[in-house]
Amino acid sequence: MAEQVSKVIKKAYEILVFRNRGDTQTRTCSKPTISSNDTNPVEYSDTVVLTCHALGTSVSYQWLKDNKTINSSDRIGLSRDNSTWTIYEVVRSDEEFTCYGCNMINENTSDPYLLNVNYGPESLNISISPQLDFYISESNVNFSCSAISKLASEFQWYLNGNSLQQNIQQLIITDISLNNTGNYTCEAYNNATKRYSLTTIDMTAVVGK
C-alpha cells in the first residue's frame, strides 16, 4: 500500500514538473513585431506612433535606431513601459527602427521596421541644353527640371507665367524663335505631401541665322 502511494506521489510530482515546464515555455518572450499608425507620413507634418508587441510574461521593451538606444526627447515620447514610441513631426531620417524585447527567461529582437517618410519637392533646378549665351533661331533647346522629392514630383512648365500645357520633366522647344524667349518656370508638385515648389530660368537671346 505504501509503495502504491509512493508511486502516486511520484507521478503527481512528474505531472507538476511537466506542467511547470510547459508554463515556462508559454512565458518566454516571442519575437517582437512593430506596427505603425501611419506607414506613409509627411515630413514635418505628421506624428507617428510605433508600437512594439511581444508575447510573454513581464516583457520589457527597448527601441533602437541605427543600432543606438532611443531615449525620450522634445521630438520623441516613450510610453511608461517603452512599448509605444511617439515621433512628433517626423523627418526623412526617421526610416529604420528595431524593437528589443526581453524578460527573465529570454530576449528577442524584431525585424527592422522601415518607415516611408514623404518629403519635398525641394532644391528645384532647371538645366538647359545646349547651354549657350545665345541661341540661333530654328534650333532646338532642351529644358530639364529636377527636384528632391518623395514621392517623385509631377512637373508643369510655364513661359512668362503662361502654362505650356506640358506635364513632363523634360521640355523640348523645337525651331525656336523670338516667341520662345522669356522666363521658363518649372513647377513641381508632390501628390503625397500636397506641396508645390517652383524655379525659373531666363532664355532671352535668340538671333537669326
Side-chain angles (χ1 to χ4, degrees):
M1 182 68 177
E3 183 178 355
Q4 289 179 344
V5 170
S6 177
K7 288 181 178 180
V8 169
I9 294 175
K10 182 178 179 181
K11 185 65 175 179
Y13 175 77
E14 289 174 350
I15 292 173
L16 179 61
V17 170
F18 175 79
R19 285 178 177 173
N20 284 340
R21 285 177 178 171
D23 192 42
T24 298
Q25 291 296 325
T26 62
R27 291 182 193 159
T28 58
C29 176
S30 66
K31 184 175 182 177
T33 58
I34 299 175
S35 60
S36 173
N37 70 319
D38 190 345
T39 56
N40 294 283
V42 175
E43 186 176 43
Y44 306 130
S45 296
D46 292 336
T47 293
V48 174
V49 180
L50 298 176
T51 301
C52 183
H53 177 70
L55 298 176
T57 303
S58 300
V59 177
S60 297
Y61 298 98
Q62 185 66 61
W63 291 91
L64 301 175
K65 179 183 178 183
D66 300 327
N67 294 320
K68 296 179 181 178
T69 301
I70 296 171
N71 297 309
S72 294
S73 67
D74 292 340
R75 204 174 63 84
I76 295 173
L78 293 169
S79 62
R80 182 173 298 180
D81 64 353
N82 272 11
S83 65
T84 299
W85 178 26
T86 302
I87 310 171
Y88 304 99
E89 296 183 352
V90 66
V91 296
R92 68 192 68 179
S93 61
D94 297 326
E95 290 183 316
E96 184 174 322
F97 311 96
T98 305
C99 175
Y100 169 84
C102 68
N103 59 16
M104 295 182 65
I105 300 172
N106 72 317
E107 58 189 44
N108 246 319
T109 303
S110 71
D111 291 329
Y113 185 86
L114 301 177
L115 195 62
N116 183 39
V117 180
N118 295 297
Y119 53 84
E122 58 190 46
S123 302
L124 265 68
N125 180 67
I126 297 176
S127 61
I128 184 169
S129 177
Q131 190 168 4
L132 304 172
D133 293 330
F134 59 87
Y135 296 86
I136 300 174
S137 61
E138 298 183 11
S139 62
N140 299 335
V141 180
N142 183 9
F143 297 88
S144 180
C145 189
S146 62
I148 296 175
S149 181
K150 187 177 178 182
L151 299 171
S153 291
E154 302 170 11
F155 297 97
Q156 177 71 261
W157 289 93
Y158 300 85
L159 173 58
N160 299 323
N162 299 313
S163 176
L164 295 175
Q165 303 299 318
Q166 296 290 322
N167 302 320
I168 52 179
Q169 188 171 1
Q170 289 191 337
L171 175 68
I172 300 175
I173 307 297
T174 59
D175 299 327
I176 62 173
S177 67
L178 288 174
N179 293 330
N180 302 121
T181 63
N183 295 317
Y184 283 82
T185 298
C186 170
E187 179 185 77
Y189 172 69
N190 185 322
N191 193 46
T193 64
K194 309 302 180 185
R195 295 170 184 163
Y196 292 87
S197 186
L198 56 84
T199 187
T200 299
I201 193 171
D202 181 56
M203 188 186 76
T204 57
V206 176
V207 299
K209 288 185 176 180

